[in-house]
Amino acid sequence: MAKRLASDISVKVKGRTAMRIGELSRRTGVSTRLLRYYEEQGLLKAERDANGYRRYGPAAVERVVRIRELLAGGLTTEAIRDLLPCAQGGPGLMPCDHSAQVLGDQLSRVDEQMAELRRKREALMCVTEAMETRRRQDEALALAALGPA
């Protein structure tokens, strides 16, 4: 039988089941390194056993899922830290002026980035079209220089 690491075992804490970091990692698909980073950034809280091991309550799984959703939307860890109190009890955020403002600001930034990408695409298309026009002109000149066959 494979030996289990102490950090992978669920433990009973104050009448409820808590997870160690390895279990939280398995349940969420997020590496232990990232979970530690989330804790360092104030996004995730862990209690400590007497031996110093981190332990997370059952709500930590949902919290990590919310963190991942907000990161996927391009929010900074600072913005996520501010929004996490609004991310309780299911998907999305509880409606409030603050969360609406943060999300609205992020949507505006994404819209600006998309507009900038469209401008860059258009500029590249113009360069590509000019290159193709030049290639056709060069081919026509080469054919003219060779004369009739």
Side-chain angles (χ1 to χ4, degrees):
M1 186 162 99
K3 186 176 180 179
R4 294 186 69 171
L5 297 173
S7 65
D8 295 341
I9 301 170
S10 294
V11 294
K12 202 76 158 157
V13 178
K14 298 178 188 171
R16 67 181 208 265
T17 302
M19 296 165 275
R20 294 220 172 112
I21 196 166
E23 179 68 19
L24 182 58
S25 175
R26 270 193 299 287
R27 288 188 186 187
T28 60
V30 175
S31 72
T32 57
R33 182 175 161 265
L34 266 179
L35 293 172
R36 286 186 203 97
Y37 174 75
Y38 296 163
E39 187 178 344
E40 181 183 293
Q41 295 299 306
L43 305 177
L44 187 61
K45 291 181 177 66
E47 296 179 26
R48 295 288 184 150
D49 286 335
N51 58 10
Y53 290 138
R54 289 172 174 85
R55 63 178 185 233
Y56 301 92
V61 172
E62 182 180 328
R63 189 169 185 97
V64 170
V65 169
R66 289 301 147 264
I67 291 167
R68 300 299 294 167
E69 287 174 348
L70 295 169
L71 284 169
L75 292 173
T76 65
T77 56
E78 183 180 336
I80 293 170
R81 188 175 41 253
D82 290 343
L83 288 175
L84 279 175
C86 303
Q88 313 243 341
L93 300 171
M94 292 185 293
C96 69
D97 290 342
H98 176 70
S99 59
Q101 180 68 44
V102 170
L103 294 177
D105 289 348
Q106 182 62 20
L107 283 169
S108 293
R109 279 191 293 278
V110 169
D111 287 342
E112 289 168 10
Q113 290 169 346
M114 289 172 62
E116 179 64 20
L117 285 172
R118 282 190 294 275
R119 285 190 292 274
K120 288 178 180 180
R121 185 181 193 289
E122 184 61 34
L124 287 172
M125 290 300 296
C126 288
V127 171
T128 301
E129 288 171 9
M131 180 182 66
E132 286 300 315
T133 299
R134 186 172 181 176
R135 183 186 58 78
R136 285 190 301 275
Q137 290 171 346
D138 289 349
E139 287 174 352
L141 286 172
L143 284 174
L146 291 174

